[in-house]
C-alpha cells in the first residue's frame, strides 16, 4: 500500500486526537476501545480509504494536523519543519496593538484560507411587521452602512449575512438589533464598533445610505451571501485582533476578512436559532461621549507601562504569573508531551545547517 506523506500526517494526527495518547501515560483513556478499532481498521485501509479520511479537510485542517503530528516531517527542500528556537523561560508574544496597518495586512494575508467547501447559510425571511420590522431594517442598514458603506456590493452583503449568521448562532442574541447593538453601551466591548465609538453622530450620506438599505432589505427577504458561508466575525485587513488567528479564515471581500468558529461550532448546522423579535426593546444608544476615547487611552497607557514577562517574573504572585507561564517540561498537554530544556537544546543545535536556503538548481543543460 502506497501512502502519501500528507495522508500519513493526517492519519497520525487523527489517531493522536482520538486516542489522546501520543506521548501520553499508559492509562486507558475514555473511548480507547473504539479508538483501537479505528486504528485496526486503518491498518487495512488502501489509498482510496485514506483519501476518504482526508476528504473534507481543507488546507487549514491539514496544516493543523501536521502541526500536531508527533512524527518528524520535512518541507519541500527536505529541511525539518520546526521552530528555529524555543525558550521555555520566556513565553511567546505577539505585537498586538503595535503593528502598523501595513504590517497587519501582511500578517493577515499570511494566515491560510480554509478551503473546505461548507454549505452557505439558509435564507432568512423577516416575519416582523410594523414598527418591529422598520426597526430591524434600520439596525441592519446601520450595520451595512457604518461597517461597509464604502466597500464593494458583495462586501456589504457579506456584513449583512454575518449579522444574520450571528442571530441564528447559539452564542448571540436572537434579533437583528440585539446582534448589532450587543455591548453597545460599554466604552469597549461592543461587537460592532460604530455603536460605541461615536460614528452614529455622523449624518448618513446618500447614495451610500440608500444602497445599504437596499442590501439590508434584501438580506431580510431571503438573499444569501454565499461567499462567507457560516461566518460570524470579520475585521478590516489593516488590523490584527487577538481573536483572528484563533478562528477559521473563510474569505476576504474588499477590506474585510471573514471568519467562522473552528470545529463543529463553525458548521452551518449551528445556524439553527429562531428569530425572537423584540427589536424595539433594544437600546440604540452608545456610551457617554468621550467614554470610548478615555477607555482606549487608559488601555494604551497600561500597555505602555507593563513590562514583558520574563524569567524573573516568576517571583510574581501565582495568580498573576501562572496564567502567562508555559506548561511544565515533561508534562503531557492536549495529548502532547512538553519537551525539556535539554531536548530543546538538542533540537536547536541540529537546526542551523537547515536554516539557509538550498543552493539554486543548475540551469538546464549545465554541467555538474
Amino acid at each position: 500500500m502506497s501512502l502519501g506523506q500528507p495522508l500519513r500526517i493526517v492519519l497520525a494526527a487523527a489517531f493522536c486526537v482520538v486516542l489522546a495518547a501520543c506521548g501520553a501515560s499508559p492509562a486507558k483513556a475514555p473511548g480507547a476501545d473504539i479508538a483501537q478499532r479505528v486504528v485496526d481498521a486503518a491498518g487495512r485501509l488502501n489509498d482510496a480509504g485514506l483519501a476518504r479520511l482526508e476528504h473534507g479537510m481543507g488546507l487549514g485542517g491539514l496544516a493543523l494536523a501536521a502541526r500536531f503530528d508527533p512524527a518528524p516531517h520535512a518541507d519541500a527542500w527536505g529541511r525539518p519543519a520546526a521552530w528555529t528556537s524555543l525558550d521555555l523561560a520566556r513565553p511567546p508574544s505577539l505585537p498586538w496593538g503595535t503593528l502598523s496597518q501595513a504590517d497587519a495586512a501582511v500578517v493577515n494575508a499570511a494566515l491560510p484560507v480554509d478551503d473546505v467547501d461548507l454549505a452557505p447559510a439558509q435564507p432568512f425571511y423577516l416575519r416582523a411587521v410594523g414598527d418591529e420590522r422598520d426597526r430591524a431594517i434600520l439596525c441592519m442598514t446601520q450595520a451595512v452602512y457604518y461597517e461597509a458603506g464604502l466597500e464593494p456590493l458583495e462586501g456589504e452583503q457579506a456584513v449583512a449575512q454575518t449579522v444574520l449568521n450571528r442571530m441564528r448562532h447559539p452564542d448571540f442574541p436572537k434579533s437583528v438589533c440585539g446582534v448589532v447593538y450587543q455591548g453597545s453601551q460599554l466604552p469597549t466591548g461592543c461587537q460592532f464598533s460604530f455603536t460605541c465609538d461615536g460614528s452614529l453622530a455622523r449624518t448618513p450620506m446618500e447614495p451610500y445610505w440608500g444602497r445599504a438599505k437596499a442590501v439590508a432589505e434584501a438580506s431580510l427577504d431571503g438573499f444569501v451571501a454565499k461567499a462567507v458561508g457560516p461566518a460570524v466575525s470579520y475585521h478590516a485587513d489593516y488590523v490584527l485582533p487577538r481573536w483572528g488567528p484563533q478562528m477559521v479564515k473563510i474569505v476576504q471581500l474588499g477590506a474585510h476578512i471573514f471568519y467562522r468558529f473552528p470545529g463543529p461550532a463553525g458548521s452551518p448546522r449551528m445556524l439553527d436559532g429562531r428569530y425572537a423579535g423584540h427589536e424595539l426593546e433594544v437600546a440604540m444608544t452608545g456610551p457617554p461621549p468621550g467614554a470610548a476615547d478615555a477607555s482606549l487611552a487608559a488601555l494604551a497607557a497600561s500597555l505602555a507601562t507593563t513590562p514583558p514577562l520574563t524569567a524573573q517574573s516568576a517571583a510574581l504572585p501565582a495568580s498573576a504569573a501562572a496564567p502567562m507561564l508555559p506548561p511544565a517540561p515533561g508534562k503531557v498537554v492536549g495529548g502532547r508531551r512538553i519537551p525539556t530544556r535539554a531536548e530543546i537544546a538538542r533540537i536547536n543545535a541540529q537546526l542551523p545547517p537547515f536554516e539557509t536556503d538550498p543552493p539554486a538548481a543548475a540551469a538546464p543543460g549545465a554541467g555538474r
Side-chain angles (χ1 to χ4, degrees):
M1 166 165 65
S2 174
L3 305 181
Q5 181 72 2
L7 293 178
R8 288 199 295 270
I9 291 174
V10 174
L11 197 57
F15 290 166
C16 284
V17 172
V18 175
L19 291 174
C22 289
S25 64
K28 192 172 183 179
D33 293 339
I34 297 176
Q36 187 58 53
R37 290 200 296 271
V38 174
V39 174
D40 294 340
R44 297 190 295 272
L45 286 177
N46 55 19
D47 286 346
L50 287 173
R52 287 195 298 272
L53 288 178
E54 187 183 29
H55 179 69
M57 294 187 70
L59 295 178
L62 289 172
L64 210 57
R67 174 68 182 85
F68 287 97
D69 184 2
H73 303 292
D75 64 11
W77 291 332
R79 303 180 302 183
W83 298 103
T84 57
S85 179
L86 292 176
D87 183 358
L88 291 179
R90 186 183 299 274
S93 62
L94 291 173
W96 307 114
T98 61
L99 286 177
S100 68
Q101 292 186 356
D103 289 339
V106 171
V107 174
N108 285 322
L111 294 175
V113 173
D114 189 67
D115 63 348
V116 173
D117 188 16
L118 292 174
Q122 293 297 308
F124 174 79
Y125 298 93
L126 180 64
R127 303 302 183 189
V129 296
D131 291 343
E132 281 283 329
R133 182 179 185 85
D134 292 343
R135 175 66 74 87
I137 293 175
L138 173 60
C139 288
M140 183 67 86
T141 302
Q142 290 176 328
V144 174
Y145 175 84
Y146 288 103
E147 293 286 307
L150 299 180
E151 291 295 299
L153 177 61
E154 62 178 0
E156 293 190 338
Q157 293 168 336
V159 167
Q161 187 65 56
T162 302
V163 172
L164 294 180
N165 289 351
R166 283 193 167 210
M167 185 181 70
R168 287 171 150 178
H169 196 280
D171 285 353
F172 300 96
K174 294 295 167 279
S175 69
V176 176
C177 292
V179 167
V180 173
Y181 279 86
Q182 185 177 13
S184 64
Q185 295 183 326
L186 303 173
T188 59
C190 51
Q191 298 297 297
F192 291 82
S193 58
F194 79 89
T195 66
C196 68
D197 66 1
S199 295
L200 289 170
R202 301 197 306 266
T203 302
M205 297 186 300
E206 290 291 357
Y208 303 106
W209 179 264
R211 185 174 75 162
K213 185 176 182 181
V215 169
E217 290 176 333
S219 71
L220 298 175
D221 195 28
F223 178 82
V224 176
K226 298 179 180 179
V228 296
V232 292
S233 296
Y234 63 87
H235 66 77
D237 63 357
Y238 50 82
V239 297
L240 182 63
R242 292 175 181 268
W243 53 263
Q246 303 175 42
M247 300 189 72
V248 180
K249 182 178 175 182
I250 298 177
V251 68
Q252 178 166 351
L253 298 173
H256 284 144
I257 304 172
F258 294 83
Y259 300 82
R260 66 177 174 86
F261 286 126
S267 167
R269 290 178 294 180
M270 293 295 292
L271 307 181
D272 60 356
R274 296 180 63 86
Y275 174 71
H278 306 295
E279 305 285 359
L280 296 174
E281 297 179 8
V282 177
M284 297 179 64
T285 57
D293 292 340
S295 179
L296 291 175
L299 176 62
S302 66
L303 292 175
T305 57
T306 301
L309 187 67
T310 64
Q312 288 73 27
S313 300
L316 293 173
S319 59
M324 296 293 294
L325 294 178
K331 285 192 175 182
V332 175
V333 178
R336 292 184 58 80
R337 180 177 173 277
I338 305 302
T340 64
R341 292 173 184 267
E343 291 167 340
I344 291 175
R346 286 197 298 270
I347 294 172
N348 288 338
Q350 296 170 0
L351 289 177
F354 298 97
E355 293 177 0
T356 56
D357 291 345
R368 292 180 177 271

